[in-house]
Amino acid sequence: MKNSTDRMLTRIKSVYMFIHENGTVSTQELVDEFGTTPRTIQRDLNVLAYNGLVKSPRRGKWTTTNKKVKLSS
């Protein structure tokens, strides 16, 4: 895989883990935590939501779903 793809997948995995460990978080908290733009975080969240891993119970808030995830290093 390309280096940029590796970075993106690593960031998406980290975003998922951050949400999983902290419960419900805001998009802004994710922007602050990962030092990226709101648009980048939104793209990452769209990937996670498309795969059924996160959901947005309220506008701008995110939480993980009950879908089982097998994480590898």
Side-chain angles (χ1 to χ4, degrees):
M1 269 189 281
K2 285 181 148 182
N3 203 14
S4 60
T5 303
D6 286 340
R7 272 197 324 267
M8 178 192 68
L9 291 174
T10 300
R11 187 184 61 245
I12 289 172
K13 179 180 170 183
S14 297
V15 167
Y16 174 81
M17 291 303 298
F18 183 81
I19 297 169
H20 185 72
E21 291 166 2
N22 292 284
T24 302
V25 299
S26 69
T27 305
Q28 187 59 50
E29 286 176 88
L30 294 168
V31 168
D32 295 343
E33 177 70 20
F34 293 96
T36 62
T37 65
R39 182 67 189 117
T40 297
I41 289 296
Q42 192 59 56
R43 283 188 196 107
D44 294 347
L45 290 166
N46 288 344
V47 169
L48 291 167
Y50 178 81
N51 287 287
L53 299 173
V54 299
K55 62 184 176 182
S56 181
R58 294 185 308 283
R59 184 173 170 89
K61 298 286 185 179
W62 296 90
T63 188
T64 56
T65 64
N66 292 329
K67 185 172 183 179
K68 298 284 184 201
V69 179
K70 182 176 158 183
L71 295 173
S72 60
S73 300

